[in-house]
């Protein structure tokens, strides 16, 4: 899910995090899986990139551009796909009885609902959405990014003489990328942990019906408790029409913090846990997502922190 410009498909994907820039370069070959031919990472100085959905992200555009230029080297690529951190976007799921067929009217209706049901600022913004028909109604998964924030990234890539062909939001690009690997006859939950956020998307009959975003910047968090609480909320407040009470659900989990932060912690091995306090105790199978589920040939021992950069290319 991304904001697109009508140019050729990029082979470079770049992801932004509060502490680092990451790059992957892929090679597309006829009748073969894409292959990652190069990856790189550069640290960003503290405070240079305070990602936010309401304030400018790049405190020093030229300084961050300098880091990116060092990482890109002397390559001849002039287009890039960009993964923005989850912090920059407000993301929600909305249900409609019907949507206008006219694009402008549809966008206007979605914007109106967002402003009615959230604290989204009223200023200029880019709205990116995906429509999921569900019986007599329609679910819409939508992200809103402040236009001033997007303009900063465009300015930085202009400094690099690069064209950002697409800009995607981290969790939504990963959700799109891994959706073919998420198989279940019951409910599915997709959870993504980054350095600063935990984002969970509840899916019922193939449609995302609920999104929860939990800030992790205040300190350590008990992930199991957060996931159990999110599933309980879905059942109790989102409603039986949106989330079933099947005896077993699957939760697909991905941790893209990178390095030692993601080593040996919850969510790295396939396991099961029970969600109490529902009509009946519900068993949830947690299934880690990683390179083995990505439809790409991977460099040996590549860290999952590069997955957002890859998914940004994959949204094309």
């Amino acid at each position: 899910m991304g904001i697109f410009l009508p140019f050729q498909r990029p082979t470079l994907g770049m992801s932004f995090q509060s502490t680092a820039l990451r790059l992957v370069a892929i090679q597309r070959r006829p009748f073969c899986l894409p292959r990652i031919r190069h990856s790189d990472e550069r640290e960003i100085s503290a405070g240079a990139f305070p990602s936010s959905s309401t304030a400018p992200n790049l405190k020093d555009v030229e300084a961050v551009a300098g880091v990116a230029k060092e990482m890109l080297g002397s390559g001849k690529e002039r287009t890039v796909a960009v993964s923005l951190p989850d912090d920059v976007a407000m993301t929600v799921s909305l249900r409609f009885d019907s949507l206008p067929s006219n694009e402008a009217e549809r966008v206007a209706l979605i914007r109106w609902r967002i402003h009615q049901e959230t604290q989204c600022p009223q200023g200029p913004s880019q709205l990116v959405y995906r429509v999921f028909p569900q019986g007599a109604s329609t679910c819409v998964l939508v992200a809103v990014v402040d236009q001033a924030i997007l303009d900063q990234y465009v300015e930085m890539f202009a400094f690099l003489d690069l064209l950002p062909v697409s800009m995607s939001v981290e969790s939504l690009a990963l959700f799109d990328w891994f959706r073919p690997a998420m198989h279940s006859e019951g409910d599915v939950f997709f959870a993504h942990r980054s350095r600063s956020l935990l984002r969970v998307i509840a899916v019922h009959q193939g449609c995302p019906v609920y999104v929860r975003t939990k800030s992790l910047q205040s300190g350590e968090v008990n992930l199991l408790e957060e996931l159990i609480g999110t599933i309980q909320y879905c059942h109790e407040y989102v409603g039986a029409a949106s989330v079933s009470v099947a005896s077993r659900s699957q939760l697909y989990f991905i941790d893209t913090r990178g390095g030692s932060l993601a080593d040996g912690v919850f969510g790295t091995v396939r396991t099961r846990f029970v969600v109490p306090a529902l009509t009946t105790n519900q068993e949830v199978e947690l299934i880690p997502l990683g390179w083995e589920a990505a439809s790409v040939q991977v460099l040996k021992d590549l860290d999952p922190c590069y997955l957002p950069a890859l998914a940004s290319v994959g949204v094309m």
Side-chain angles (χ1 to χ4, degrees), residues 26-36 177 291-298:
I26 68 167
Q27 179 184 15
R28 293 188 176 94
R29 298 170 295 171
F31 310 110
C32 296
L33 289 176
R35 182 179 70 89
I36 295 178
W177 181 259
W291 293 111
E292 69 283 350
S295 300
V296 65
Q297 295 182 19
V298 183

Side-chain angles (χ1 to χ4, degrees), residues 34-255:
R35 182 179 70 89
I36 295 178
R37 57 180 174 83
H38 175 69
S39 65
D40 202 356
E41 178 181 16
R42 291 289 188 277
E43 292 186 356
I44 303 176
S45 59
F49 183 61
S51 53
S52 165
S53 63
T54 58
N57 282 200
L58 304 177
K59 293 296 186 182
D60 188 336
V61 173
E62 291 192 9
V64 178
V67 175
K69 186 174 183 179
E70 178 185 343
M71 182 169 59
L72 289 164
S74 58
K76 298 180 180 180
E77 295 283 349
R78 298 272 63 89
T79 60
V80 63
V82 182
S83 171
L84 303 180
D86 283 342
D87 313 59
V88 308
M90 174 177 288
T91 304
V92 295
S93 176
L94 303 171
R95 182 183 292 275
F96 295 87
D97 291 333
S98 63
L99 283 173
S101 57
N102 179 274
E103 177 67 13
E105 294 177 359
R106 177 182 295 187
V107 169
L109 177 60
I110 294 173
R111 284 189 183 277
W112 179 83
R113 278 285 300 277
I114 290 171
H115 291 307
Q116 290 292 311
E117 300 182 17
T118 72
Q119 301 298 315
C120 183
Q122 296 282 343
S125 62
Q126 283 280 354
L127 184 152
V128 186
Y129 68 94
R130 178 71 57 83
V131 174
F132 298 84
Q134 187 182 47
S137 61
T138 300
C139 293
V140 176
L141 183 62
V142 56
V144 184
V145 185
D146 187 277
Q147 185 63 53
I149 292 174
L150 288 176
D151 289 344
Q152 272 202 313
Y153 288 98
V154 173
E155 177 187 354
M156 191 206 76
F157 283 107
F159 183 83
L160 293 170
D161 195 26
L162 277 176
L163 179 66
V165 177
S166 74
M167 290 189 183
S168 57
V169 178
E170 194 172 60
S171 284
L172 300 186
L174 289 167
F175 176 72
D176 271 352
W177 181 259
F178 283 109
R179 210 148 46 97
M182 296 189 289
H183 304 291
S184 176
E185 296 181 358
D187 296 330
V188 171
F189 296 87
F190 171 83
H192 170 228
R193 181 174 186 175
S194 63
R195 281 182 175 265
S196 57
L197 291 178
L198 172 68
R199 178 160 286 162
V200 182
I201 302 174
V203 181
H204 177 62
Q205 295 181 351
C207 297
V209 295
Y210 173 67
V211 179
R212 186 202 178 197
T213 302
K214 167 73 175 180
S215 174
L216 304 180
Q217 293 181 338
S218 57
E220 290 298 318
V221 64
N222 187 314
L223 273 179
L224 180 57
E225 289 183 359
E226 293 294 339
L227 293 171
I228 288 175
T230 300
I231 295 170
Q232 288 174 330
Y233 182 90
C234 284
H235 285 278
E236 295 171 6
Y237 298 103
V238 176
S242 297
V243 181
S244 70
V245 288
S247 60
R248 179 179 297 177
S249 296
Q250 291 179 320
L251 187 148
Y252 292 86
F253 183 86
I254 181 169
D255 188 333

Side-chain angles (χ1 to χ4, degrees), residues 276-310:
L278 301 178
T279 306
T280 59
N281 286 345
Q282 181 183 22
E283 185 178 78
V284 176
E285 183 180 17
L286 185 145
I287 303 172
L289 288 173
W291 293 111
E292 69 283 350
S295 300
V296 65
Q297 295 182 19
V298 183
L299 297 170
K300 184 180 180 180
D301 299 327
L302 190 62
D303 196 291
C305 66
Y306 288 95
L307 279 165
L310 174 67

